[in-house]
Structures are given as C-alpha cells and as structure tokens.
Amino acid sequence: MPIDTQLIAVATHGPRPLADYLAGPDGRARGVAGAAGPIVVPVPGAESAGIDSWLGAPAADVIARCEATGNAGDLTSAVIGANGGPGPFLFLGLGDGSAAAMRKAGAAVGRRVAPGRTMITSALLGQPAEAVHAFIVGLLLGSYRWSQKRDEADPREPPGEVWLLLDGPDGHPDAVAAARTVAGAVALARDLTNTPSARKTPAWLAAQAVAVAAGAGLTARVWDADELAAQGFGGLIAVGQGSASPPRLIELGYAPAGAQEHIVLVGKGITFDSGGLSLKPADGMKQMKTDMAGGAAVIAAMSALGRLGVTSRVTGLVAAAENMPSGSAQRPGDVITHFGGRTVEVLNTDAEGRLVLADALPTPTRCSSPTSWWTSPR
C-alpha cells in the first residue's frame, strides 16, 4: 500500500495546545522527529491558537493579509515574523466543518506531505469523532502515490509524518483507527486498479484476493476455467475465451458469530477490456486496465470488515476475465447460457461486463453456505 505517511496522534491539554506544544525549551517545536515542516492551523480558529509571537503579528491580521478564505481545503502560506519560529505556517480552511469539508481539508494537507518531513496540525482540536475520521481519511488518501517503480524505491527514504494534535486524554482512538482502516482499504483498491494489465491477469487478481483474505480473516475460494465450465458459468467462459489468460470467479467470505443478515457484494473484474471482436477505438482502450475497479472495490471492502466490526455476514464475488480478440473469441451473434440456465444472444462483444455479472449475481437466498451455494444451478 503506497500510503507511506505516518500519523502520530498527540493528546493535548490546556487552552493553547499548539502554542504550548511548539514552545520547547530551545525555542523550537518539541517532540518532532525528522526535518521540520509546515505547521497547519485551521481557519477559522487560528486567532485562538496562541501563535502570534511566532508570526510577529496577531494571527487574525496575518490571516486577513494572506487572504485565507477558510473554504474547505484552502491552504494559504503565512510569512514568519522577526522572532522566527519552528517552521512555516499554513492556514487551512475547514469550510462548514461537515464530514465532506473535513475530508477535503485533510486531502489538501495530505498532498503537501513530503518524504522525510514532519507536519503538525491543530485542525482537529475541538472536533467531534466524525470530523476526525473524515479528516484523517482525506489526509491519508491525499498522500496516496502510485508508481510502477514503487517497489524499487530506496528503503532508506523516510516517510513523511503528520502529527495530529487531538483533544486529550484519549484523542478519539476509535475514529483514528477506523479512518486508517478505511483509507487502507481504498488504497488497496487503487493499487489493484492501477496495476498494469500485463501483470494483472485474472489469476493474478485471484491470488491478490486470496492474500488479502489470509490477512483479514476471510474465507476464500477461486473457480478456475474448468470449474466454471463444469458449473455452467457461460458468461465468464464466453468473455474470457479469447484471451490466453483464463477467467476466474473469486469468492471471499466474512461470517461473524451471530450474524443476522447476509449481504452479497458483486464486482466486475475485467482485467483488460479491448472490446473483443467488437474492438474499441485506440483511445477507448487507454484506461481499460481499470475495468476491474468494481472487483477491486469488493476485495478492498471485504478486507476492512473485521477491523470495522461489521456484524453482518458478507460474501464478496468478483467475476474476473480478460476480454481480448483472437481466433477463439466469442462472436457477435453467439448465444451463451448463463449460470442458472438463462440464454443470451451476444450482439456486441464489448458488453462483457453485463455478461460476467449475470453469472455472478445470484440472490442472497441462494447463498446458504460459503462452500455449497454454487453446487446446484437453479
């Protein structure tokens, strides 16, 4: 997961926690590891943070001169006064303080995080748990980076850090933990989606799902092409038959004790979509490595259920195939038989999503057990 940003929650006390935190015995920010970075102060509210001496003027005056709007996500740099200070100040707009505004504000901070640098923010002082959760999710996802060379990154490069000043004594630990989990799941979905299709075959996606299941306490089962054909999953077989990489059906299961309801999540997992024989134009194929984003979202959501304490039973299904043109590809005019016996005439092979999802959309009432619900087509 390429969210390298480290979050450090600091429980604070007193009416001026930011000023008290910054005023170390040597006149610099205390307790901060790594190179100093910006101090992020919310707008409105900066005038009460006790930072006037660092700015060399009343904070309210500085805000006015910098034309800080206070709009959600607006970041405005402040000039440090004659007394110097622990680092540059950034005034951060929180908008109306809603969850959406706090998420946007957090994302703006996340985009400013740099490797080896430390930021401090008092934006969460006095905020309820919902706002803390939204801000941290936004911050972590705002710092998300993905590169094909990320596995080759220098391991000696330290991650960026963000110190979050939170109201003591506990600082909303549940909200912080839940935000980390949600951001991690979203980053996983982004990782899977961003991976190039040369690597991301249906078998690769299935292997990633199995690894996620092992780490999240989920059950996992994968149907290969032979099993899919034997069980009558004609949509998956038809879409995937033109590719050298056979299709897969992925099932992940989450079954907490005492669950009273069963929810089924179904995701499209087309690891590359050329359109098949109904070939897409070149520009239409540029982003088709992302045609499995629905499946990635299902895998990611399943990964977070246990840590979020979900009490319902959840089954996640991903219909994975690669839609390619070849001598073995399905043709317009072919008639295929889906799981359950329904027949469909294919008029355009670029309609692959509905064909694979029609195989993977049984009703929850058919999902009686994680290992037996596919055994008898209706």
Side-chain angles (χ1 to χ4, degrees):
M1 182 185 71
I3 296 181
D4 294 329
T5 302
Q6 303 296 311
L7 295 184
I8 299 174
V10 181
T12 63
H13 303 276
R16 299 196 313 169
L18 177 58
D20 292 344
Y21 180 78
L22 295 177
D26 59 355
R28 297 185 303 171
R30 60 188 180 188
V32 179
I39 314 302
V40 183
V41 181
V43 177
E47 65 273 13
S48 63
I51 59 173
D52 295 1
S53 61
W54 300 114
L55 295 173
D61 292 346
V62 175
I63 291 171
R65 294 173 189 171
C66 293
E67 299 182 351
T69 67
N71 294 333
D74 179 48
L75 272 174
T76 306
S77 298
V79 177
I80 303 301
N83 291 334
F89 283 86
L90 294 175
F91 295 117
L92 173 66
L94 302 182
D96 60 5
S98 64
M102 293 299 288
R103 190 176 301 112
K104 185 174 182 179
V109 174
R111 287 190 288 271
R112 296 293 290 265
V113 176
R117 304 280 286 177
T118 298
M119 301 177 72
I120 306 169
T121 180
S122 59
L124 296 181
L125 290 173
Q127 296 290 346
E130 180 184 14
V132 171
H133 179 279
F135 185 90
I136 293 175
V137 169
L139 190 157
L140 290 174
L141 294 180
S143 68
Y144 175 92
R145 302 290 185 272
W146 193 91
S147 169
Q148 290 184 226
K149 296 183 178 180
R150 74 185 192 279
D151 294 335
E152 304 171 15
D154 187 345
R156 295 170 298 178
E157 184 178 70
E161 288 185 347
V162 179
W163 291 57
L164 302 170
L165 304 189
L166 297 164
D167 292 310
D170 56 7
H172 302 296
D174 292 342
V176 174
R180 290 178 186 269
T181 296
V182 170
V186 176
L188 170 62
R190 291 179 178 180
D191 283 356
L192 295 174
T193 302
N194 285 328
T195 299
S197 294
R199 180 182 182 188
K200 185 172 54 185
T201 64
W204 181 91
L205 186 61
Q208 298 302 302
V210 170
V212 167
L218 308 173
T219 59
R221 182 179 176 186
V222 178
W223 281 258
D224 63 21
D226 290 340
E227 291 175 295
L228 292 173
Q231 292 284 351
F233 289 89
L236 272 163
I237 294 297
V239 171
Q241 70 189 32
S243 172
S245 300
R248 296 288 190 273
L249 179 64
I250 305 162
E251 179 198 356
L252 302 179
Y254 172 77
Q260 299 297 310
E261 63 178 348
H262 186 185
I263 299 168
V264 179
L265 307 177
V266 182
K268 175 183 175 183
I270 303 300
T271 57
F272 187 79
D273 181 21
S274 69
L277 292 182
S278 302
L279 195 65
K280 293 178 181 290
D283 284 347
M285 276 191 262
K286 289 180 179 177
Q287 297 300 320
M288 284 301 101
K289 69 178 183 180
T290 69
D291 212 27
M292 41 60 67
V298 169
I299 295 170
M302 296 295 298
S303 76
L305 298 177
R307 289 190 293 273
L308 293 177
V310 173
T311 59
S312 300
R313 178 183 167 198
V314 184
T315 297
L317 300 170
V318 179
E322 186 177 60
N323 188 25
M324 297 290 282
S326 74
S328 61
Q330 66 172 333
R331 297 155 293 265
D334 284 358
V335 176
I336 62 176
T337 302
H338 285 286
F339 176 70
R342 185 178 295 275
T343 58
V344 171
E345 182 181 8
V346 178
L347 299 181
N348 187 318
T349 63
D350 199 21
E352 82 300 324
R354 66 202 73 179
L355 295 180
V356 300
L357 290 175
D359 271 351
L361 278 169
T363 62
T365 56
R366 296 172 67 192
C367 306
S368 58
S369 72
T371 58
S372 67
W373 56 293
W374 291 112
T375 57
S376 179
R378 182 168 55 184

